[in-house]
Amino acid sequence: MKTRRQFLKVSAIGAIGASLPLTKVEAAPVESNKSGNPFTLGFAGYTFVRLSIDKSIEIMKKTGVKNLSIKDFHMPYKSTAEEINEITGKFKAEGLNIYGVGVVYMTTKEFVDQAFEYARMAGAKVMICAPNYELLPYVNEKVKSADFKLAIHNHGPDNTLYPNATDIWDHIKDLDPKIGICIDIGHTTRDGQDPVKDILRYKTRIYDVHIKDVDKASKEGKTVEMGRGIIDIPGVVNALRKINFTGSCSLEYEKDMADPLGGIAESIGYWKGVSACK
């Protein structure tokens, strides 16, 4: 791992990228684990909610981030195997990896079945999801024969369904160990919780991480460029190192969504800089 000097060098990539037009941004394709960290860097699909697949691929290539959890607006749940292969093939052709799907919201048993088949056909390693509480026994039986893990996503104070990691843990601690947590550090903070403490507390079942920064520890908190908000990002990185988290830390950038490249580049630069430090 590197020193503070390397942090400044790496994070400058994001700051420079934020000031350049789309065709000029060429952030260095350095994955976090190349600096000795066990985790990788990715994108949560919602980052690209207002962008086409081609534009999403363009941003991934320009920022050097190769991993994506794809959302249904790019790959609909009713897609056939052929359609899924065509969509995932577009990313693979550019050297990009679809590691997961979601967030997938499950409200009926029939949709649970569809969601599991969807994740299977996509070759997902993890399905980031939010099944209704009453469906957990059924989901628990389904996951036993699945080739992927489930990571239940916390929603913060906006939704009574899984507001925080403690609520998820309380519902899954006695279920199959392939059911875990996707901890969204922004929603965690907005719910008044500490993402560093929750990562350490629930370390055995953290299977995915959504990274971002927010400006307030309240329901009114909004996404800001990483490093400009109140979340202890170095603390999050150190906690992930302590638990030897080997999954994806996926940026979910929820600001300027029609033209997010500048904020994405700044956030990735900051995360890479922090991750490169001792």
Side-chain angles (χ1 to χ4, degrees):
M1 296 180 190
K2 306 299 191 300
T3 63
R4 181 176 180 275
R5 180 178 297 176
Q6 182 66 14
F7 163 76
L8 295 173
K9 178 180 177 181
V10 177
S11 60
I13 294 168
I16 293 170
S19 65
L20 294 176
L22 181 60
T23 56
K24 297 296 184 181
V25 177
E26 293 294 344
V30 181
E31 293 291 341
S32 297
N33 62 347
K34 296 296 180 61
S35 298
N37 293 306
F39 48 81
T40 56
L41 179 60
F43 277 115
Y46 190 71
T47 298
F48 304 129
V49 65
R50 296 182 64 181
L51 304 180
S52 67
I53 287 177
D54 289 343
K55 185 63 69 174
S56 303
I57 289 172
E58 182 180 355
I59 289 178
M60 290 184 72
K61 291 179 67 178
K62 286 181 180 294
T63 56
V65 178
K66 297 183 178 180
N67 302 300
L68 173 68
S69 173
I70 196 167
K71 277 285 290 176
D72 58 300
F73 50 77
H74 281 160
M75 193 170 75
Y77 296 131
K78 293 183 179 180
S79 299
T80 64
E82 291 75 17
E83 290 167 336
I84 287 176
N85 288 338
E86 180 181 356
I87 293 165
T88 58
K90 289 183 178 181
F91 290 89
K92 291 177 182 177
E94 300 296 337
L96 306 175
N97 172 46
I98 303 296
Y99 81 89
V101 296
V103 179
V104 181
Y105 299 92
M106 304 178 191
T107 58
T108 66
K109 284 186 176 181
E110 291 75 18
F111 187 71
V112 170
D113 293 339
Q114 183 179 0
F116 269 77
E117 180 63 8
Y118 172 81
R120 185 196 67 79
M121 290 191 295
K125 301 297 183 185
V126 61
M127 177 163 61
I128 298 94
C129 60
N132 281 6
Y133 294 129
E134 70 272 13
L135 292 172
L136 283 173
Y138 186 66
V139 170
N140 189 55
E141 291 304 311
K142 292 281 293 186
V143 78
K144 292 177 181 179
S145 59
D147 293 329
F148 50 84
K149 293 180 178 180
L150 302 188
I152 297 179
H153 183 277
N154 62 292
H155 289 90
D158 305 287
N159 195 324
T160 57
L161 184 70
Y162 308 115
N164 51 56
T166 297
D167 183 73
I168 298 173
W169 173 263
D170 288 344
H171 282 90
I172 70 167
K173 61 186 177 181
D174 297 322
L175 301 183
D176 191 282
K178 286 197 291 184
I179 301 177
I181 299 168
C182 170
I183 185 165
D184 183 308
I185 66 173
H187 289 323
T188 297
T189 301
R190 292 175 57 252
D191 195 56
Q193 312 301 316
D194 183 342
V196 173
K197 290 181 179 179
D198 281 354
I199 288 168
L200 296 174
R201 185 179 293 127
Y202 305 119
K203 60 184 179 180
T204 61
R205 302 286 272 271
I206 302 291
Y207 294 159
D208 197 64
V209 181
H210 283 183
I211 58 173
K212 63 184 67 166
D213 210 343
V214 296
D215 60 358
K216 295 177 184 176
S218 68
K219 186 176 181 178
E220 292 71 34
K222 303 295 183 184
T223 296
V224 295
E225 293 81 357
M226 196 174 293
R228 298 195 194 190
I230 63 170
I231 297 180
D232 178 11
I233 302 298
V236 168
V237 168
N238 286 331
L240 293 170
R241 289 172 181 161
K242 286 180 181 179
I243 71 170
N244 194 35
F245 176 67
T246 58
S248 180
C249 296
S250 293
L251 177 66
E252 189 170 40
Y253 189 71
E254 300 169 303
K255 181 184 177 187
D256 306 322
M257 302 191 80
D259 185 21
L261 179 60
I264 286 173
E266 182 175 342
S267 296
I268 289 172
Y270 184 84
W271 177 266
K272 287 183 176 180
V274 171
S275 298
C277 291
K278 293 182 179 179

